[in-house]
């Protein structure tokens, strides 16, 4: 189950890779274009929208790699069994926060669709990208659930060995 | 005000049980704001914060500089830098420790992250010192403090964040970092010198390297020089913006990683994925910090803290010393990026109201953050080393960094009392 989710997250994070490379190439093209008098039209907005993909498509793999910054100050002093319970609790809280963000961004997307928000130059509607943010938060919530399943398995095997 | 104190207490509980920093701050931000205002607006705030900060164009400079740093770390330019520095400094007592700090400083000129600088120098400097018989304390201390230079010497991701948060010119901030960076290297040299005197067995001197071997070693670092001159030169001559400088730098770093480091396509994809994860990690913290900051503001905590500090009546310099002392204490417990996001909205208005230069204040905040990277119990650089050389006990590492904590505080005081060291270069622009 975990391998499946890691693979899925890896594939998603390729979207981030494409977006970063796109930002770099669009920016370089704009610099060179400006030097020879033909700047890239809408480079600014394309970079702005690409940032959404860079950040949110990387969220599930960031989560599965347990690379969120946390302070493991107290946790390193408690016994391993308590650590495992705390870890499960932390992952539960993480799931909740991600679901909350997913719901709120979906609402934000709806709002932007209603007021018809578009980018200033290329007139691209912004709401689909905000829906993408919401979906990625939901995917991150799924990543947390996967980790909880893993945590619980660890807890039960630990009881067996005890 | 009372709600804010409860909120901060709850925040520490969440952090202590291991909830990610960004999530902890968002949770307290949400419930705190709901307690002061109402649940509806508190929830609506989430969508707005995430959307606004993601689409803030100024932040797009971050992934490119992060990518540049990760690529440069892969290019083996760091080994050349260390060898060149060691050729000149290796024969002094503690010479390889000097060389580590020097090479880290030079590496910082093309890498904007302390984590990347530390991770790179631990692979280059630590084995060399180990082989020579240096004590683990001196060796790890030099690597950790060398890593802090990553954010002080431009380019710097932390300067970019500060610049965006306070609407201060990133170009001015970059310029302002040079002289303090050079002084930092000298302060850390002094710390190594003292350590060499106190523990002669732990800091050894190497063989004298003649000039005919030094020059080739020096010429070998041309790549770093070219990359730095093109990127910074382009930014200062106004040919491109800092974001564009990041793109140019990343492209240059890619060329070096491919041709000098033999970077393969698969590995390259892995490096870009890593840069994306680092960017995402920073934004998760950013969202949380903005959420929490909004709550602290509506609860009246921010203004109360401001008037408390002003009412101490210590005069401008005295007030700033109190502010920096708060930074040093907070820095022991809060991770550096979170500290930046959290405290700048609190203290920046105070610094402005006392007539301080925003660029000067920014550089001092960065020096304070640098110190937080090496102070126990959660100095980030020390934990990065711990991950890469787990055989060295944490205790030895923290003993090793302690002289450099002192040299960093000396740096902070020097810059506080002689602001011209910071403001001189930007004033020439």
């Amino acid at each position: 189950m975990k391998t499946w989710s890691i693979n899925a997250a890896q594939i998603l994070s390729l979207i981030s890779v494409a977006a970063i490379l796109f930002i770099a190439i669009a920016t370089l093209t704009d610099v060179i274009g400006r030097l020879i008098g033909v700047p890239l039209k809408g480079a600014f907005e394309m970079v702005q929208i690409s940032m959404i993909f860079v950040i949110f498509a990387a969220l599930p793999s960031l989560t599965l790699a347990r690379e969120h910054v946390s302070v493991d100050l107290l946790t390193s002093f408690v016994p391993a069994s308590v650590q495992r319970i705390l870890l499960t609790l932390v992952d539960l809280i993480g799931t909740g926060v991600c679901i909350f963000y997913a719901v709120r961004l979906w609402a934000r997307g709806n709002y932007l669709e209603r007021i018809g928000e578009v980018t200033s130059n290329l007139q691209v509607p912004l709401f689909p990208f905000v829906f993408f943010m919401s979906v990625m938060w939901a995917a991150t919530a799924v990543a947390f659930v996967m980790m909880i399943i893993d945590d619980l398995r660890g807890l039960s095997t630990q009881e067996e060995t005890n | 005000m009372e709600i804010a104190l409860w909120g901060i207490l709850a925040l520490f509980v969440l952090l202590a049980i291991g909830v990610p920093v960004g999530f902890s701050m968002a949770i307290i931000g949400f419930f705190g704001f709901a307690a002061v205002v109402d649940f509806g607006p508190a929830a609506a705030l989430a969508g707005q914060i995430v959307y606004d900060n993601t689409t803030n164009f100024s932040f797009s400079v971050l992934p490119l500089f992060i990518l540049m740093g990760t690529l440069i770390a892969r290019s083996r330019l760091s080994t050349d830098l260390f060898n060149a520095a060691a050729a000149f400094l290796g024969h002094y007592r503690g010479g390889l420790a000097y060389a580590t700090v020097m090479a880290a400083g030079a590496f910082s000129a093309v890498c904007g992250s302390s984590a990347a600088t530390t991770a790179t120098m631990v692979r280059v400097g630590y084995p060399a010192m180990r082989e020579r018989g240096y004590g683990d304390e001196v060796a790890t201390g030099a690597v950790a403090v060398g890593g802090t230079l990553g954010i002080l010497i431009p380019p710097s991701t932390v300067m970019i964040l500060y610049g965006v948060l306070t609407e201060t010119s990133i170009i001015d901030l970059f310029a302002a970092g040079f002289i303090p960076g050079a002084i930092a290297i000298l302060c850390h040299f002094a710390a190594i010198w003292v350590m060499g005197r106190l523990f002669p067995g732990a800091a050894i001197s190497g063989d004298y390297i003649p000039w005919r071997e030094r020059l080739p070693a020096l010429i070998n670092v041309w790549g770093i020089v070219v990359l730095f001159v093109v990127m910074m030169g382009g930014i200062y001559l106004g040919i491109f913006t800092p974001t564009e400088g990041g793109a140019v730098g990343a492209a240059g770093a890619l060329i070096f990683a491919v041709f000098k480091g033999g970077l393969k396509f698969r590995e390259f994809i892995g490096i870009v994925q890593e840069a994306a994860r680092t960017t995402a990690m920073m934004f998760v913290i950013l969202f949380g910090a903005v959420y929490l900051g909004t709550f602290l503001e509506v609860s009246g905590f921010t203004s109360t803290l401001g008037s408390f500090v002003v009412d101490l009546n210590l005069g401008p310099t005295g007030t700033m010393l109190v502010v920096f002392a708060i930074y040093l204490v907070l820095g022991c417990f809060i991770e550096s990026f979170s500290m930046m996001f959290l405290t700048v909205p609190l203290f920046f208005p105070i610094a402005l109201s006392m007539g301080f230069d925003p660029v000067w204040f920014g550089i001092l905040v960065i020096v304070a953050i640098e110190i937080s990277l090496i102070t126990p119990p959660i100095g980030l650089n020390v934990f990065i080393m711990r991950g890469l050389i787990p055989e060295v006990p944490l205790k030895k590492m923290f003993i090793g960094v302690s002289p450099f904590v002192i040299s960093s505080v000396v740096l902070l005081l020097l810059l506080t009392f002689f602001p011209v060291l910071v403001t001189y270069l930007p004033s020439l622009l």
Side-chain angles (χ1 to χ4, degrees):
Chain A
M1 189 97 107
K2 188 90 185 282
T3 14
W4 168 83
S5 52
I6 288 175
N7 287 340
Q10 279 286 355
I11 292 168
L12 275 178
S13 79
L14 290 179
I15 299 178
S16 303
V17 170
I20 289 193
L21 296 182
F22 179 79
I23 292 179
I25 293 165
T27 310
L28 285 176
T29 315
D30 191 38
V31 174
I32 297 166
R34 218 172 38 218
L35 289 175
I36 57 171
V38 272
L40 186 64
K41 187 174 179 260
F44 180 87
E45 293 162 39
M46 286 195 265
V47 167
Q48 216 175 1
I49 290 173
S50 303
M51 279 300 282
I52 295 174
F53 292 103
V54 173
I55 298 163
F56 293 96
L59 270 184
S61 65
L62 171 76
T63 302
L64 286 174
R66 291 207 179 274
E67 284 181 348
H68 283 291
V69 175
S70 56
V71 183
D72 48 1
L73 184 59
L74 194 125
T75 44
S76 50
F77 290 109
V78 297
S81 54
V82 181
Q83 269 186 33
R84 283 182 172 277
I85 296 168
L86 279 180
L87 195 64
T88 314
L89 177 67
V90 165
D91 289 342
L92 268 172
I93 294 174
T95 315
V97 171
C98 290
I99 293 174
F100 171 73
Y101 272 134
V103 170
R104 293 319 311 172
L105 279 150
W106 194 265
R108 187 80 192 168
N110 275 330
Y111 166 76
L112 292 176
E113 185 180 11
R114 213 168 46 241
I115 63 168
E117 180 102 325
V118 291
T119 64
S120 52
N121 208 332
L122 301 173
Q123 303 287 313
V124 183
L126 278 161
F127 73 89
F129 302 105
V130 182
F131 285 146
F132 177 79
M133 293 185 197
S134 167
V135 172
M136 285 299 111
W137 278 115
T140 311
V142 174
F144 270 114
V145 171
M146 292 294 161
M147 296 201 300
I148 293 172
I149 294 172
D150 243 42
D151 298 340
L152 292 177
R153 274 199 193 134
L155 277 180
S156 60
T157 49
Q158 197 181 30
E159 274 158 25
E160 280 161 28
T161 49
N162 284 347
Chain B
M1 181 60 199
E2 204 177 305
I3 290 176
L5 293 177
W6 282 112
I8 291 170
L9 186 70
L11 177 70
F12 278 109
V13 172
L14 287 178
L15 291 176
I17 63 168
V19 179
V21 177
F23 290 170
S24 304
M25 294 194 290
I27 292 168
I28 303 303
F30 169 70
F31 285 106
F33 195 93
V36 179
V37 185
D38 203 352
F39 275 99
L45 205 55
Q48 196 189 335
I49 288 171
V50 174
Y51 173 75
D52 287 354
N53 285 291
T54 309
T55 52
N56 181 344
F57 179 78
S58 316
F59 281 127
S60 63
V61 66
L62 271 178
L64 295 177
F65 276 107
I66 293 169
L67 177 62
M68 176 180 169
T70 3
L71 281 171
I72 277 289
R74 180 59 187 71
S75 69
R76 304 212 182 118
L77 288 172
S78 52
T79 315
D80 294 342
L81 278 176
F82 180 76
N83 290 341
F88 282 85
L89 299 164
H91 62 283
Y92 295 107
R93 176 178 295 287
L96 293 183
Y98 291 120
T100 301
V101 171
M102 190 68 220
F107 187 77
S108 303
V110 286
C111 175
S113 136
S114 279
T117 308
T118 309
T120 308
M121 293 323 296
V122 80
R123 292 194 190 100
V124 180
Y126 177 75
M129 283 186 274
R130 184 78 233 213
E131 197 181 313
R132 264 275 163 194
Y134 279 62
D136 279 334
E137 293 87 351
V138 178
T140 53
V143 169
V145 82
T148 66
L149 296 171
I151 53 168
L152 180 60
I153 296 176
S156 154
T157 48
V158 180
M159 281 183 197
I160 293 167
L161 290 173
Y162 176 87
V164 176
L165 285 176
T166 62
E167 294 175 359
T168 305
S169 154
I170 292 173
I171 297 182
D172 283 354
L173 285 165
F174 277 7
F178 282 108
I179 296 176
I183 298 174
I185 291 176
L186 294 178
C187 289
H188 303 327
F189 274 10
I192 296 171
W193 186 83
V194 172
M195 278 163 99
R197 293 275 137 171
L198 295 178
F199 312 101
I204 295 144
S205 49
D207 303 324
Y208 182 83
I209 310 263
W211 276 93
R212 67 187 146 74
E213 285 177 40
R214 283 182 180 181
L215 284 180
L218 191 61
I219 291 166
N220 225 354
V221 304
W222 64 271
I224 296 267
V225 178
V226 169
L227 196 55
F228 177 76
V229 168
V230 169
M231 180 180 61
M232 285 296 163
I235 293 176
Y236 286 110
L237 292 176
I239 301 172
F240 36 75
T241 62
T243 308
E244 294 164 352
V248 171
L254 175 61
I255 294 172
F256 282 112
V258 170
F259 289 101
K260 278 200 80 121
L263 180 74
K264 298 282 182 293
F265 181 72
R266 262 195 102 86
E267 205 186 344
F268 170 66
I269 297 297
I271 285 177
V272 186
Q273 281 175 320
E274 191 187 324
R277 286 202 305 272
T278 308
T279 311
M281 178 268 282
M282 285 184 188
F283 272 84
V284 170
I285 298 175
L286 172 70
F287 301 148
V290 176
Y291 221 143
L292 181 66
T294 315
F295 155 53
L296 292 180
E297 207 166 312
V298 295
S299 71
F301 179 79
T302 312
S303 53
T304 311
L305 181 75
S307 48
F308 169 76
V309 175
V310 173
D311 285 348
L312 289 177
N313 247 332
L314 298 168
T317 312
T319 307
M320 283 300 113
L321 286 176
V322 170
V323 168
F324 297 137
I326 295 175
Y327 267 92
L328 297 190
V329 174
L330 279 181
C332 293
F333 303 101
I334 303 182
E335 183 275 333
S336 56
F337 282 113
S338 329
M339 187 159 87
M340 176 92 186
F341 290 133
L342 253 182
T343 57
V344 164
L346 297 179
F347 294 126
F348 184 70
I350 300 176
L352 277 195
S353 70
M354 300 210 142
F356 286 107
D357 181 30
V359 172
W360 173 84
F361 184 68
I363 297 295
L364 275 112
V365 167
I366 286 166
V367 173
I369 288 178
E370 277 191 275
I371 299 173
S372 80
L373 292 172
I374 54 173
T375 42
I378 61 154
L380 194 64
N381 285 8
V382 176
F383 281 94
I384 289 169
M385 287 197 300
R386 175 98 177 121
L388 295 168
I389 40 170
E391 66 275 15
V392 182
L394 208 53
K395 197 178 154 201
K396 278 194 173 180
M397 293 185 179
F398 278 121
I399 292 174
V401 293
S402 48
F404 298 109
V405 173
I406 298 171
S407 59
S408 304
V409 172
V410 169
L411 172 70
L412 186 73
L413 292 175
L414 273 176
L415 300 180
T416 307
F417 289 107
F418 304 101
V420 67
L421 296 172
V422 176
T423 53
Y424 179 68
L425 281 184
S427 73
L428 297 181
L429 289 177

